[in-house]
Amino acid sequence: MTPPVPPASPPPPIPPAPAPHPRTGAAAGIAAARRHRRYTPMPPREVFVRHVVRNAVIGGSMIFAALMIGVVGYHFTAGLGWLDSLVNASMILGGMGPVNPIVSRSGKWFESFYALFSGVVFISSVGVALGPAIKRFLHRFHLDIEADE
């Protein structure tokens, strides 16, 4: 004779649905987040201008910091005067190339790494500065970029 099977315990209660977002009313979840992102109205022009100004300041600060790194680097590694260091750093950062010939070994090492660094900083700062305009363009023409599922 087999022993009696004890009664099964009841299933756990189903948790309540998540509360809707307080501002938008959207339900929680990935699908709701996609709907929310896709159908939000375009921010007002004042918000766009604020983002453009903020990103322009960030991009300009990146350029200024890179320029100061170049000026100090040329001055101490290549032995150039402050004005010549500024000219060389500006020309490298702008993509034109050096003005003064560098004769010291440390100056040549600095110049080569600064040229690579300058290219990356310049491209990054342009990306930062154009970010709000690109986002507004994509939003305006409903060009949602979605991952393949």
Side-chain angles (χ1 to χ4, degrees):
M1 178 164 211
T2 61
V5 177
S9 62
I14 298 174
H21 190 274
R23 190 180 68 224
T24 62
I30 294 174
R34 285 187 182 155
R35 262 195 318 277
H36 170 72
R37 182 181 71 223
R38 186 176 293 161
Y39 297 117
T40 55
M42 187 170 306
R45 186 173 297 270
E46 295 82 28
V47 173
F48 171 66
V49 169
R50 189 173 65 235
H51 288 175
V52 167
V53 169
R54 180 193 64 200
N55 283 29
V57 167
I58 292 170
S61 300
M62 290 170 63
I63 296 282
F64 181 75
L67 184 63
M68 290 301 105
I69 289 170
V71 169
V72 171
Y74 274 115
H75 181 72
F76 289 112
T77 63
L80 296 177
W82 288 108
L83 189 57
D84 287 335
S85 297
L86 175 64
V87 170
N88 266 4
S90 300
M91 295 300 274
I92 290 281
L93 193 56
M96 300 299 288
V99 175
N100 299 62
I102 306 299
V103 294
S104 69
R105 179 176 237 151
S106 62
K108 290 179 181 182
W109 277 103
F110 173 77
E111 188 172 43
S112 65
F113 286 112
Y114 182 68
L116 295 172
F117 167 75
S118 298
V120 171
V121 167
F122 185 77
I123 291 170
S124 300
S125 65
V126 168
V128 167
L130 291 179
I134 292 169
K135 181 177 178 184
R136 191 164 179 94
F137 173 80
L138 292 173
H139 194 123
R140 174 130 177 121
F141 295 106
H142 306 288
L143 299 175
D144 247 352
I145 300 172
E146 295 183 14
D148 292 335
E149 297 183 30

